[in-house]
Each structure stands twice: as C-alpha cells, then as structure tokens.
Amino acid sequence: MKHPKHPLKLLNGAEGDGLAKKKRSWLLRIIISVFLLVIGGGTYLYFYIQPDKPIGWRAVPDDSLPSILKRVAQERSREITISEQEWNQYASIFVQQLLKQKPEWSQWNVQGMDIKLLEDQLDVTLHLRPWDMLDAEFHIYLDVNWSTQTQTLLLTPSGMTLKHIPIPQRWLESLQKPLTFDLRSYLPSLIQVDDIRAETGQWTIRFGLRKDK
C-alpha cells in the first residue's frame, strides 16, 4: 500500500514548479526584449546612415588641374585660386580613375563624392552602396601638408566617420595611407610652387622660380 505524499512535499514541489515557470517566463521576456532592441537599433542605424541628399559626381571641368597649372605658369601669374567647386571637379576625375585602378574597392559601389575645404583640412564625403537598398554616408578627414622643398602635397587621413559616428581607425588601416602628389611633373622646369594656402572654401597656390636652377 502506497503512502500518500506529505503535504509539505507537495507544497514545495508546487512552489518549485512555479518558480521554474517564472524563471522561464522572465528569460523569455529578456530574450524578446533584447531581440526587439537589436531590431529597433538596426532599423534606426539603417535610416540614420542614409545620405540626406544625393551628391553624385561633379561635372567634368573644361580643363584639368595639371594643364591649368601649366597655363598659369606660362602666363607668369604669381597666384591661382581654386574654389571648392573647382576642387570637387578635379577630385571627381581623380577618384573615378582611382576606383577603376582599384577593383577591390568596387564592392563599396561609390555613388558620388563631395569635398569641403576647411582650414588645412579636407572633409571628403562619399556616398556608398555596399548592398542593394543600403546607402551610407561616409566621411574621411584629410590633413593638408605642403613641402616646398620636395614640391609634394600630402593628404593624410586623420579621422573617419559613418555619417557622424566615429569609426575606429584600426578597422580601416588600408585607407590610412597618405595620398602624395608631386607637382613638379605638372610645371615647366623653371617654375615651382612656393606655397599652398588651404583655406575654408578655397585654395591659393603661389608660384615662383625654381631655386635649384
């Protein structure tokens, strides 16, 4: 003959089952909350990084930067001022040619570019489409340095953001190499660039005679 279970054991068992159900319920709530948070955060980020407006590529100018430098030198002008709009035109040509030479960059599917001339710095805005239906605004900040001795213009990446979200530079080491431009090949042998003043909205280039001739 089986003895009936003790009432206290039955009560403890019922309480244990209740606690287990409550734990499972709370765990399920936490999982659902985290899932919704991830989905909500991902959706917000998706819309946040979208460009505010398309920028595309600037129209091709009537003349290229190298030939303009040669023309100014031939006319014996001491200075030339390049506006932000002109800078964008020349840079668009250069970047589109560079993208053709770098097939590994095709995955980013660059849709356009815009450059803001700041005080001794460039703010380069790129519109990317790495996947269908996903557009993103990406900024690269380049410090401008000019060496009269070597006639070299150096643009060094100093910061990167996904729209306004800072990106750790260690994630983008391949993009951190400075861009170097030697202007001697664009100028007559007797002419050199004495100075480049990078100002907000424009650049001013001053010419002079080569010191080593």
Side-chain angles (χ1 to χ4, degrees):
M1 182 176 178
K2 294 183 178 180
H3 296 284
K5 293 183 178 179
H6 195 279
L8 289 177
K9 291 184 178 179
L10 291 174
L11 183 60
N12 290 336
E15 289 180 351
D17 291 341
L19 289 174
K21 289 180 179 179
K22 286 183 179 180
K23 287 181 179 179
R24 287 195 296 269
S25 176
W26 276 107
L27 181 60
L28 182 60
R29 291 180 184 179
I30 292 173
I31 292 174
I32 292 175
S33 298
V34 171
F35 177 76
L36 292 176
L37 184 62
V38 171
I39 294 297
T43 302
Y44 172 79
L45 182 62
Y46 171 83
F47 287 104
Y48 176 78
I49 66 176
Q50 298 283 328
D52 295 327
K53 60 180 180 179
I55 52 178
W57 299 100
R58 298 300 177 94
V60 178
D62 296 332
D63 215 345
S64 65
L65 180 60
S67 61
I68 284 181
L69 291 177
K70 288 180 180 179
R71 175 174 54 79
V72 172
Q74 289 168 356
E75 294 174 0
R76 298 182 181 180
S77 300
R78 288 298 307 274
E79 285 189 353
I80 179 176
T81 298
I82 302 178
S83 68
E84 193 169 79
Q85 180 179 357
E86 291 174 313
W87 223 107
N88 271 283
Q89 292 174 334
Y90 307 135
S92 291
I93 296 173
F94 173 77
V95 171
Q96 289 182 82
Q97 292 175 346
L98 186 63
L99 290 173
K100 292 178 180 178
Q101 299 169 8
K102 300 283 187 178
E104 64 272 19
W105 290 0
S106 63
Q107 60 180 324
W108 297 107
N109 196 5
V110 182
Q111 300 293 302
M113 182 186 70
D114 180 70
I115 296 177
K116 298 295 182 187
L117 303 184
L118 308 177
E119 191 74 26
D120 294 325
Q121 192 178 61
L122 303 180
D123 174 6
V124 182
T125 302
L126 295 173
H127 284 186
L128 313 177
R129 185 175 292 165
W131 299 285
D132 290 339
M133 306 302 293
L134 175 61
D135 290 340
E137 183 175 304
F138 184 71
H139 291 259
I140 302 176
Y141 296 91
L142 302 171
D143 290 339
V144 178
N145 292 285
W146 167 250
S147 171
T148 303
Q149 182 178 1
T150 62
Q151 293 288 285
T152 301
L153 177 65
L154 196 66
L155 304 179
T156 306
S158 59
M160 304 177 191
T161 64
L162 183 60
K163 207 160 193 180
H164 302 297
I165 303 174
I167 297 176
Q169 293 192 9
R170 64 179 181 275
W171 291 6
L172 301 165
E173 292 181 355
S174 62
L175 297 178
Q176 293 180 16
K177 296 179 181 178
L179 296 174
T180 304
F181 301 91
D182 188 342
L183 299 187
R184 286 174 295 190
S185 60
Y186 302 133
L187 296 170
S189 59
L190 292 176
I191 303 299
Q192 73 171 19
V193 175
D194 281 346
D195 186 34
I196 294 180
R197 297 196 303 275
E199 303 169 298
T200 301
Q202 67 180 28
W203 278 23
T204 302
I205 303 175
R206 175 177 287 273
F207 299 93
L209 295 176
R210 289 278 294 271
K211 303 297 191 295
D212 55 350
K213 289 291 183 180

